Amino acid sequence: MQIEARNISFQYRENTPWILKDVSLKIEEGERVGLVGPSGYGKSTLVKILAGYLKPTKGEVLLDGKPLPKKGVSPVQLIYQHPEKAINPRWKMKKVLQESGMFRDEVMDALGIERDWLERYPRELSGGELQRFCVARSLFEGTHFLFADEMSTMLDVITQAQIWNLMLKEVEERRLGLLMVTHNAYLAEKICARTIRLEEINTREE
Ligand SMILES: Nc1ncnc2c1ncn2[C@@H]1O[C@H](COP(=O)(O)OP(=O)(O)O)[C@@H](O)[C@H]1O
Ligand SMILES: [Mg+2]
């Protein structure tokens, strides 16, 4: 599989500045790509568009040449920068995992998910704890592409390492495509085969 952004331009509302202008990129399954760029430059906006959460104002996102599927759990999974915004506040964590069929003990153990957290609501967990559920959920069996948006910013170093170890194992074994948005050039260098600088592909005017 391949995901492609073709000439994406985006503004949040009419008559407001263009956040993205004519951005194109391609990621193949099995590829590990970093996305870096200054804060406020549109990285999160771009990954939301790529995952189908925001509709581009112009241009299109294609999965193997076709529009993203509208039904079912998406083969393109996004792990948000802010996990509390990604989880239904009225669902117990058990239901969050059930929705994607992700009850693999191996994954829960590797992510350090305590079994009694399953009976809790999102507000009863810390940001780091919630983020582990977002990662677990994103690894469901139909996933082909994984986008991680500055996932590590709210995690301590040990938890970060634990989560990345599991994600990279899954990426490797299942040949997932990975796009990681990060400020951490060292992490990007270590994990990714190539890095995209948003300043270089986004032609918006300042
Ligand atoms: N929901 C929104 N409505 C209007 N503007 C937004 C919204 N979300 C982000 N922005 C603006 O879009 C720009 C790009 O934001 P973002 O994609 O979050 O950048 P980055 O992830 O690179 O820091 C910023 O100027 C931000 O203020
Ligand atoms: Mg961001």
Side-chain angles (χ1 to χ4, degrees):
M1 272 191 165
Q2 178 201 67
I3 188 161
E4 178 181 7
R6 201 181 278 173
N7 307 107
I8 299 281
S9 295
F10 184 83
Q11 52 186 170
Y12 276 97
R13 273 172 297 278
E14 260 185 83
N15 303 317
T16 61
W18 290 93
I19 308 293
L20 303 170
K21 204 85 194 258
D22 208 18
V23 171
S24 297
L25 61 87
K26 266 185 210 171
I27 303 166
E28 304 286 339
E29 208 161 356
E31 229 192 335
R32 300 196 294 221
V33 181
L35 175 66
V36 299
S39 181
Y41 215 79
K43 302 181 297 296
S44 294
T45 304
L46 177 60
V47 290
K48 283 180 195 157
I49 291 172
L50 282 170
Y53 292 110
L54 284 176
K55 199 172 137 3
T57 315
K58 294 182 188 165
E60 53 193 350
V61 176
L62 301 171
L63 193 61
D64 281 347
K66 294 189 284 280
L68 292 174
K70 292 209 173 60
K71 277 193 229 145
V73 188
S74 175
V76 183
Q77 287 287 312
L78 171 61
I79 301 164
Y80 276 85
Q81 190 168 2
H82 304 288
E84 66 287 352
K85 291 187 190 155
I87 289 183
N88 187 333
R90 289 181 293 274
W91 284 6
K92 279 191 181 172
M93 301 317 294
K94 194 164 61 180
K95 187 162 176 191
V96 171
L97 289 190
Q98 266 161 358
E99 188 199 27
S100 59
M102 276 311 303
F103 266 115
R104 285 164 55 197
D105 278 316
E106 176 208 355
V107 167
M108 283 195 270
D109 289 341
L111 289 172
I113 291 177
E114 310 269 348
R115 296 307 184 270
D116 67 310
W117 296 352
L118 296 171
E119 295 302 328
R120 296 196 198 168
Y121 289 97
R123 63 171 183 278
E124 298 167 328
L125 292 170
S126 72
E129 289 162 356
L130 277 182
Q131 195 62 290
R132 298 170 212 231
F133 281 91
C134 293
V135 172
R137 175 174 73 170
S138 74
L139 291 170
F140 97 111
E141 58 171 40
T143 301
H144 290 272
F145 290 95
L146 207 53
F147 299 153
D149 189 359
E150 302 200 42
M151 182 179 71
S152 313
T153 43
M154 61 197 323
L155 304 171
D156 62 80
V157 179
I158 293 173
T159 308
Q160 275 185 43
Q162 193 182 26
I163 291 183
W164 275 112
N165 282 339
L166 171 81
M167 280 182 52
L168 292 175
K169 180 166 165 280
E170 295 277 327
V171 162
E172 190 74 32
E173 284 175 8
R174 296 161 59 183
R175 289 196 36 82
L176 306 178
L178 174 73
L179 180 69
M180 73 178 287
V181 181
T182 183
H183 273 117
N184 187 335
Y186 171 76
L187 198 64
E189 179 113 335
K190 203 159 170 246
I191 291 176
C192 300
R194 66 180 166 107
T195 298
I196 296 171
R197 297 183 182 285
L198 191 52
E199 315 92 283
E200 288 172 9
I201 59 166
N202 189 2
T203 60
R204 79 179 198 194
E205 283 157 27
E206 294 306 315

